[in-house]
């Protein structure tokens, strides 16, 4: 039951990340192909880097093509809605994105642990899974990745990862640890969105 819920949330996060790629492509006035490329790299880029680093073969979306079909379908529907319907509420996508981010963090950490990675590496792989695709998207869109400048995003992932490690030591249950990770990362991200929180910026002394 827990695995089914995580898998469903994984697909949900994939769709949401694909939509965010389309929105960035729209703001940068890209064509249909550009929108599909950004949707793909946002949705599966982090997981692809994770699997390549872990030596997981084949990469998850090669083994399960449902991810590609979901991305293409979601992207085309998003483009259609953008051109023909009013924009959704501004809070909707960030909240949905936060859910996808939190789930990807837990999935990435769990997969790394299953491949025998140390705990610290598993946490890093979780962060890569959650943030890697968005960073690639922003680089392709010729903008500084949001996670590197002002967003409490990767920080939320790291906090979720630390809670995941602690939960595994306290109660050796994968489903409990993943749930704790998701809830922690999600709550921190939602609070950051609600109150516009950000990490201090580095300043250059003159």
């Amino acid at each position: 039951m827990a695995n089914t819920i995580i898998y469903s949330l994984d697909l949900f996060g994939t769709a949401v990340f694909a939509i965010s790629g389309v929105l960035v492509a729209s703001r940068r006035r890209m064509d249909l192909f550009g929108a599909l490329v950004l949707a793909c790299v946002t949705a599966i880029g982090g997981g692809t880097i994770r699997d390549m680093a872990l030596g997981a073969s084949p990469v998850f979306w090669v083994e399960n093509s449902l991810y590609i079909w979901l991305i293409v379908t979601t992207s085309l529907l998003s483009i259609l809605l953008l051109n023909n319907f009013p924009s959704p509420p501004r809070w909707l996508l960030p909240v949905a994105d936060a859910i996808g981010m939190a789930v990807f963090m837990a999935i990435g950490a769990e997969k790394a642990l299953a491949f025998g990675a140390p705990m610290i590496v598993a946490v890093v792989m979780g962060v890569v899974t959650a943030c890697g695709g968005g960073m690639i998207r922003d680089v392709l869109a010729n903008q500084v990745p949001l996670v590197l400048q002002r967003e409490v995003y990767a920080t939320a992932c790291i906090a979720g990862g630390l809670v995941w490690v602690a939960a595994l030591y306290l109660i050796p249950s994968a489903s409990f640890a993943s749930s704790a990770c998701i809830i922690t990362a999600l709550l921190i991200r939602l609070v950051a969105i609600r109150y516009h929180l950000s990490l201090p910026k580095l300043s250059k002394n003159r």
Side-chain angles (χ1 to χ4, degrees), residues 4-17:
T4 301
I5 294 174
I6 294 294
Y7 179 64
S8 299
L9 289 174
D10 183 25
L11 295 178
F12 173 78
T14 300
V16 171
F17 276 24

Side-chain angles (χ1 to χ4, degrees), residues 11-183:
L11 295 178
F12 173 78
T14 300
V16 171
F17 276 24
I19 294 171
S20 74
V22 170
L23 291 177
V24 171
S26 175
R27 288 196 293 266
R28 305 299 287 183
R29 304 189 67 81
M30 295 183 179
D31 60 13
L32 176 61
F33 179 74
L36 288 174
V37 169
L38 288 197
C40 284
V41 299
T42 307
I44 61 177
T48 301
I49 296 172
R50 174 204 65 212
D51 284 2
M52 292 175 66
L54 294 174
S57 181
V59 175
F60 73 100
W61 54 267
V62 175
E63 185 176 26
N64 185 356
S65 61
L66 176 60
Y67 288 96
I68 298 298
W69 286 112
L70 178 61
I71 292 168
V72 172
T73 303
T74 302
S75 300
L76 294 177
L77 287 175
S78 300
I79 293 169
L80 179 65
L81 292 174
L82 281 173
N83 292 331
N84 295 281
F85 294 93
S87 299
R90 293 179 63 88
W91 59 265
L92 182 60
L93 185 61
V95 170
D97 177 85
I99 297 172
M101 174 273 292
V103 173
F104 278 18
M105 174 64 212
I107 290 174
E110 283 288 346
K111 186 162 188 176
L113 190 64
F115 273 78
M119 285 290 190
I120 183 64
V121 175
V123 172
V124 171
M125 288 295 101
V127 176
V128 168
T129 306
C131 303
M135 294 180 68
I136 298 172
R137 174 201 64 206
D138 290 344
V139 170
L140 291 178
N142 195 31
Q143 57 190 27
V144 178
L146 290 178
V147 299
L148 298 182
Q149 49 179 331
R150 64 176 181 272
E151 296 285 328
V152 175
Y153 199 100
T155 310
C157 292
I158 294 171
L162 294 177
V163 169
W164 173 76
V165 172
L168 282 178
Y169 278 115
L170 293 174
I171 303 175
S173 167
S175 59
F176 174 78
S178 293
S179 299
C181 173
I182 292 170
I183 292 171

